[in-house]
Amino acid sequence: MTEETKAATDFGADVFGEEAIRTYLSKDTAKKLQATIREGKPLDPSIAGEVAHGIRHWAMDRGATHYTHWFLPMTGATAEKHDSFLELKDGEPIMQFSGKNLIMGEPDASSFPSGGIRSTFEARGYTAWDPTSPAFIKRHSNGATLCIPTAFCAYTGESLDKKTPLLRSMQALDKSLKRLMKLFGRGEAHTGCTLGAEQEYFLIDKEFWKKRPDLVLTGRTLFGAPSAKGQQLEDHYFGTIPDRILSFMNDVERELWKLGIPAKTRHNEVAPAQFELAPQFEELNLASDHNMLVMDALRNVAEKHGLKCLLHEKPYAGVNGSGKHNNWSVAYGGRNLLDPGSDPHENAVFLTMLCAVIEAVDKHADLLRASVASAGNDHRLGANEAPPAVISIYVGDQLAEVLERIENPKSAKHEAKGTLKIGVDTLPAIPKDATDRNRTSPFAFTGNKFEFRAPGSSVCCSGPMTVLNTIVAEAVDRISGELEKALAKAGCPKPAAYKPGEHTAAFHAALQKILQASLKEHKRVVFNGNGYEAEWPKEAAKRGLPNAPDTPTALAALADKKNAALFEKYGVMTKRELQSRHEIFLEEYAKKIRIEGACACDIARTMILPAVRSDYLEVLRTYNETGESDMKFALNMLHEQVYALGNGLVALEDAISRLSDAVANGDASETVARMSELRKISDGLEQVVSDSRWPLPKYRDMLFLY
Ligand code: ADP
Ligand code: MG
């Protein structure tokens, strides 16, 4: 085995996983901890001390001197505050890490956004160990730190992070599924949600990046005329990966493998300089943490290769943006409920779940849309390559027909094939690949999972996944309630009395009716056509599907009473927690737009205008010397454009001054529009001003890495 191939066998070397648990903990403690991790059982507090001791030894064997509670504050980044293991006892240095240090931390975290939940005078925030996401080692050039994934909440217990609601939503879904599966005669089992997050990103040579204040400060180019060659030839997609990029990818993967992250697929994406990394799917909470580490690794490793990794949703105008496809499914007792299955009984479970998801997405499309709303993603949703801002579901033609046969058994169209009787008939084989070809849908069924494609490349998966779990929990719960009622009415034995294979006809008839009614009401959200067609938004409007074109509009869903009631009912967020999030997201949006606006003004005034003026003066000089009529023409044109640039600048500054009020009123469109007008003028100038004077690296420089 060579050094290179050995990297793969180092998988999980820096994670306190199964092997480390067995090596560093007693048998009894190891067993208890594993039960907590695998089955989500509450942690036995009496083992905390021994676990802490074991973790410290393991971490020190790997060079760690410090530990940190690692958490996901509302900034969208990850947070850490390091403490050393070192303590003085009677003047002597010893290495210490107690059960208390492991279970709970109290970072002075008053500067994290809390949306009014925590005022500065009671600034205490607490971090609480999440044993379901294992501790790991973070290395830097001359040392290492033990990281303990934690949830972050206020003194009152209110959540201040992105992990807590996710964990609560998983509990909600678990509770609903237990109710439903009991009706199907299944014994109590563990609900497992899974996530595979495909991560798209751009790479740019660091030298170009340094010369672009817009990329440095905002992550996207605020100016830049299109390059003659962009992605028209589509020659980048799945193309040969150049050596420089491959060695970057190799280093990223090695880092991820060590952290137990199963990075699996790598390839060139459609836009030049755009790439994708996809891991194998994992348990949802872990996969969500892992995606944060994937983004960290991409950024850190890029530095070492003289590159910068751009995780912004739309770094370059005119070529594709970057998304993060969230592949989600849910298993019960180890069986994926979104897998059609092989007998009528499994099919019935599958169809119930399918209908529940359709119902959930239709009822709460506004929340799903809100969960992916951000200043960056506004440039992507609805743009040509991205899923539209209208949330709809793609199920594929075959499943669409199945659903129709359930809903309209008597329609003439289906007479030949007849009704599909739930729990009696089997489904036609549904090929996984055939269902996967529609790339224009924001929410697609892909054989045994749903792929939520609207999330932007920089988003933390937990937001969209929290919403998805919660809305599905509600739909499953509602269907279960209906089913229980119908069964009671039919005089069936108590649900607990059911055994697999002994379902009565009444059960299936009741289920069929419930699913029919659900489909009737919610099938409008199913759309199997081309989401990029101009006709679709019109058709969607006719169907009454919401279409929130920008972040403030989308976020309004968080202020909706019905949504607050939903989150409260399922114990995912209190009204105040939801409100605080609405406030935080709006503020973040306003700040981002303000930074972009200010940066655009700065670049236009101090870089672009001077360059254009020099060009103008040179043309003027030549005209004065030669009197050539060509020069006169060029002069007039330049004069007009410079004038327009100045005006555009003033208009943008003006809009920015009104931005805070505008966002508070749910509308920042003026600043956004002025920014893009200013850009248009500048991009026009970029195409006429002498290349040697243009102060910013151009698209053609930045986009072609090799
Ligand atoms: P594509 O590019 O066609 O969308 P990929 O193979 O790149 O597909 O990515 C699919 C992702 O879905 C991978 O991360 C894969 O592990 C994940 N996945 C597969 N099955 C499941 C499942 N049951 N639950 C969640 N994710 C899944
Ligand atoms: Mg995909």
Side-chain angles (χ1 to χ4, degrees):
M1 198 184 295
T2 69
E3 272 307 304
E4 289 79 24
T5 43
K6 200 178 149 290
T9 62
D10 272 352
F11 185 83
D14 280 349
V15 182
F16 194 70
E18 301 260 329
E19 198 188 318
I21 288 175
R22 274 198 309 271
T23 317
Y24 286 84
L25 301 180
S26 73
K27 240 189 184 156
D28 196 36
T29 305
K31 222 167 131 190
K32 283 182 184 159
L33 183 60
Q34 273 154 342
T36 298
I37 295 169
R38 275 198 219 123
E39 291 141 50
K41 290 202 172 127
L43 183 84
D44 175 351
S46 70
I47 65 166
E50 197 201 317
V51 175
H53 184 82
I55 290 187
R56 176 172 65 78
H57 274 277
W58 169 80
M60 284 173 59
D61 285 348
R62 274 147 194 81
T65 49
H66 289 67
Y67 72 92
T68 180
H69 278 197
W70 179 90
F71 57 103
L72 312 174
M74 293 307 295
T75 54
T78 57
E80 17 185 289
K81 177 192 167 209
H82 298 200
D83 278 297
S84 66
F85 292 130
L86 182 95
E87 268 177 35
L88 287 183
K89 197 172 179 193
D90 305 326
E92 289 295 316
I94 54 161
M95 298 304 249
Q96 266 284 17
F97 182 54
S98 67
K100 196 169 149 263
N101 291 152
L102 169 67
I103 287 183
M104 186 119 134
E106 192 189 323
D108 172 22
S110 50
S111 288
F112 288 118
S114 80
I117 277 190
R118 188 196 41 186
S119 37
T120 356
F121 71 88
E122 49 175 32
R124 272 184 300 177
Y126 290 93
T127 47
W129 183 33
D130 166 20
T132 60
S133 181
F136 57 92
I137 303 276
K138 215 171 179 177
R139 295 178 185 276
H140 48 97
S141 51
N142 63 350
T145 303
L146 165 67
C147 297
I148 299 147
T150 55
F152 178 47
C153 55
Y155 179 61
T156 52
E158 287 163 303
S159 67
L160 295 171
D161 71 346
K162 304 209 172 191
K163 183 189 270 274
T164 310
L166 177 69
L167 293 173
R168 292 181 188 153
S169 73
M170 285 160 58
Q171 262 174 22
L173 186 52
D174 177 56
K175 202 168 152 199
S176 290
L177 274 177
K178 284 199 161 92
R179 184 176 181 187
L180 178 72
M181 295 311 283
K182 193 170 173 181
L183 294 170
F184 276 98
R186 291 278 294 272
E188 202 155 289
H190 173 63
T191 299
C193 303
T194 48
L195 167 68
E198 300 163 58
Q199 179 71 51
E200 291 179 338
Y201 59 94
F202 279 87
L203 290 173
I204 178 174
D205 192 293
K206 196 168 171 188
E207 291 309 309
F208 291 131
W209 178 84
K210 277 198 220 153
K211 293 185 185 131
R212 296 278 323 206
D214 46 1
L215 280 181
V216 174
L217 297 184
T218 74
R220 75 179 181 102
T221 52
L222 300 172
F223 299 98
S227 161
K229 182 184 169 190
Q231 65 183 44
Q232 307 93 320
L233 299 177
E234 299 192 331
D235 51 352
H236 191 254
Y237 189 53
F238 281 17
T240 310
I241 307 174
D243 187 73
R244 180 182 186 190
I245 305 304
L246 252 187
S247 59
F248 158 81
M249 288 173 166
N250 259 347
D251 280 353
V252 170
E253 284 165 4
R254 268 176 219 173
E255 208 161 279
L256 295 179
W257 288 348
K258 257 198 230 152
L259 289 169
I261 301 170
K264 176 96 182 132
T265 307
R266 59 190 188 195
H267 62 81
N268 287 1
E269 260 302 332
V270 175
Q274 190 189 27
F275 308 91
E276 181 183 301
L277 180 156
Q280 198 175 312
F281 69 94
E282 296 179 281
E283 186 277 326
L284 172 54
N285 172 43
L286 183 64
S288 168
D289 280 357
H290 277 174
N291 178 255
M292 298 305 282
L293 295 175
V294 165
M295 292 195 286
D296 267 358
L298 288 169
R299 276 187 294 247
N300 293 339
V301 174
E303 290 285 341
K304 292 179 197 149
H305 288 255
L307 298 162
K308 272 280 168 182
C309 174
L310 306 177
L311 289 166
H312 192 284
E313 282 73 16
K314 195 78 180 176
Y316 303 101
V319 296
N320 281 6
S322 298
K324 174 156 21 205
H325 295 176
N326 278 218
N327 294 274
W328 170 92
S329 75
V330 52
Y332 194 75
R335 179 169 145 60
N336 182 356
L337 302 181
L338 297 177
D339 217 335
S342 50
D343 62 48
H345 184 65
E346 282 178 347
N347 290 167
V349 176
F350 165 72
L351 287 169
T352 306
M353 284 307 290
L354 186 66
C355 290
V357 173
I358 291 172
E359 177 174 323
V361 173
D362 181 45
K363 226 169 140 187
H364 300 290
D366 59 339
L367 276 178
L368 282 172
R369 171 66 183 92
S371 76
V372 299
S374 70
N377 218 16
D378 278 1
H379 295 283
R380 187 177 155 263
L381 293 184
N384 205 32
E385 89 287 356
V390 180
I391 302 287
S392 64
I393 298 190
Y394 172 86
V395 295
D397 293 338
Q398 256 169 317
L399 265 188
E401 200 199 298
V402 167
L403 294 178
E404 241 183 88
R405 281 170 62 198
I406 294 173
E407 193 208 333
N408 290 318
K410 294 199 184 82
S411 106
K413 210 167 126 201
H414 303 118
E415 221 146 65
K417 288 179 180 166
T419 323
L420 194 113
K421 285 213 179 69
I422 290 175
V424 178
D425 296 340
T426 49
L427 292 175
I430 295 158
K432 286 188 175 89
D433 281 349
T435 57
D436 195 14
R437 291 306 115 202
N438 185 319
R439 297 262 156 195
T440 66
S441 175
F443 198 95
F445 180 71
T446 49
N448 62 351
K449 62 189 192 298
F450 279 97
E451 184 172 347
F452 189 21
R453 299 186 178 128
S457 47
S458 69
V459 78
C460 171
C461 299
S462 64
M465 292 296 98
T466 298
V467 168
L468 186 54
N469 286 340
T470 310
I471 63 179
V472 174
E474 182 200 45
V476 168
D477 199 35
R478 191 199 68 78
I479 290 171
S480 307
E482 291 284 309
L483 204 47
E484 283 165 11
K485 261 193 273 169
L487 293 176
K489 216 166 145 193
C492 292
K494 282 225 175 322
Y498 282 109
K499 289 201 181 71
E502 290 179 17
H503 287 74
T504 60
F507 175 87
H508 291 128
L511 182 61
Q512 182 120 13
K513 249 188 162 161
I514 291 164
L515 298 190
Q516 269 169 355
S518 172
L519 280 172
K520 235 179 205 88
E521 194 177 339
H522 301 292
K523 66 169 179 209
R524 63 175 185 166
V525 80
V526 176
F527 177 62
N528 289 317
N530 181 356
Y532 295 172
E533 262 169 20
E535 280 309 304
W536 169 231
K538 290 181 213 153
E539 161 71 18
K542 265 193 230 152
R543 296 185 187 191
L545 303 179
N547 184 359
D550 59 23
T551 296
T553 318
L555 288 178
L558 304 186
D560 193 325
K561 272 196 190 135
K562 90 171 169 17
N563 291 332
L566 166 79
F567 284 118
E568 282 226 354
K569 179 171 177 196
Y570 289 93
V572 175
M573 274 185 271
T574 63
K575 199 170 158 214
R576 210 162 94 103
E577 285 173 320
L578 188 66
Q579 233 170 23
S580 81
R581 270 151 219 262
H582 187 206
E583 228 171 86
I584 290 168
F585 295 145
L586 271 182
E587 204 177 307
E588 177 187 305
Y589 174 78
K591 281 180 182 163
K592 282 198 171 150
I593 300 293
R594 185 182 293 279
I595 292 170
E596 285 189 353
C599 183
C601 288
D602 186 21
I603 292 175
R605 192 181 307 103
T606 65
M607 297 173 84
I608 297 172
L609 260 178
V612 176
R613 271 203 208 103
S614 311
D615 230 50
Y616 177 76
L617 286 176
E618 191 182 302
V619 178
L620 181 65
R621 209 175 312 120
T622 320
Y623 174 64
N624 283 341
E625 279 167 16
T626 63
E628 266 179 37
S629 56
D630 275 11
M631 283 293 156
K632 172 103 200 226
F633 181 71
L635 204 59
N636 283 342
M637 257 191 37
L638 262 178
H639 186 265
E640 237 169 69
Q641 281 171 292
V642 176
Y643 193 73
L645 192 69
N647 278 344
L649 237 164
V650 173
L652 176 56
E653 281 168 335
D654 208 39
I656 295 173
S657 71
R658 289 189 294 273
L659 184 65
S660 296
D661 286 343
V663 172
N665 293 324
D667 177 19
S669 54
E670 197 196 351
T671 303
V672 174
R674 294 294 98 81
M675 240 191 301
S676 81
E677 280 158 22
L678 183 65
R679 175 188 189 135
K680 218 172 178 179
I681 302 161
S682 166
D683 291 358
L685 279 161
E686 185 183 325
Q687 285 161 311
V688 294
V689 166
S690 349
D691 190 48
S692 60
R693 280 209 183 88
W694 194 253
L696 298 163
K698 295 184 173 180
Y699 272 29
R700 63 165 187 245
D701 305 318
M702 297 184 287
L703 278 169
F704 298 92
L705 278 156
Y706 25 82

